[in-house]
Each structure stands twice: as C-alpha cells, then as structure tokens.
Amino acid sequence: MKELAAERNMTIHQVIQKGGLNQATISELMSGRTKHPKVSTIQKFCDGLQISLSDFFDNNRFR
C-alpha cells in the first residue's frame, strides 16, 4: 500500500482521506491483523489513488 501511494507521490494519509477510509482499517491491513480485506475497502483505497480495481490487481505485486 505504501509503495502504491509512493508511486503516485502520495502518503497513506492522503490516500485514505481521498478514498474516505478509516485510519484504523488501514492500520489493521498494514500490520497484518486483517488478512482478507473487503472489496469495498480495496475500492476505497483505489478511489484514493484514483485507479481502478483492475489496475490495483494488475500490479506486479499480485503476479
């Protein structure tokens, strides 16, 4: 998540603000406490990055 944000010259804080995410949700994901995020959470993260879900999953990190 940090890498995707950094690729767009954004901080995680900026992404979650733009996407309307809760800081606690992102903290749980990044710490590994949440291993299976909801699609709606990933969509909000993508919204904050201004990318599509397909762009998110087409990333080399998922190959």
Side-chain angles (χ1 to χ4, degrees), residues 13-39:
H13 184 72
Q14 290 170 318
V15 174
I16 64 172
Q17 279 188 319
K18 287 187 175 193
L21 284 161
N22 182 311
Q23 178 66 46
T25 301
I26 293 300
S27 294
E28 288 179 8
L29 282 170
M30 294 180 71
S31 70
R33 287 188 303 252
T34 298
K35 300 205 186 290
H36 305 286
K38 295 178 184 177
V39 173

Side-chain angles (χ1 to χ4, degrees), residues 3-18:
E3 293 168 357
L4 287 170
E7 286 173 6
R8 287 159 182 78
N9 297 316
M10 297 175 74
T11 65
I12 289 293
H13 184 72
Q14 290 170 318
V15 174
I16 64 172
Q17 279 188 319
K18 287 187 175 193

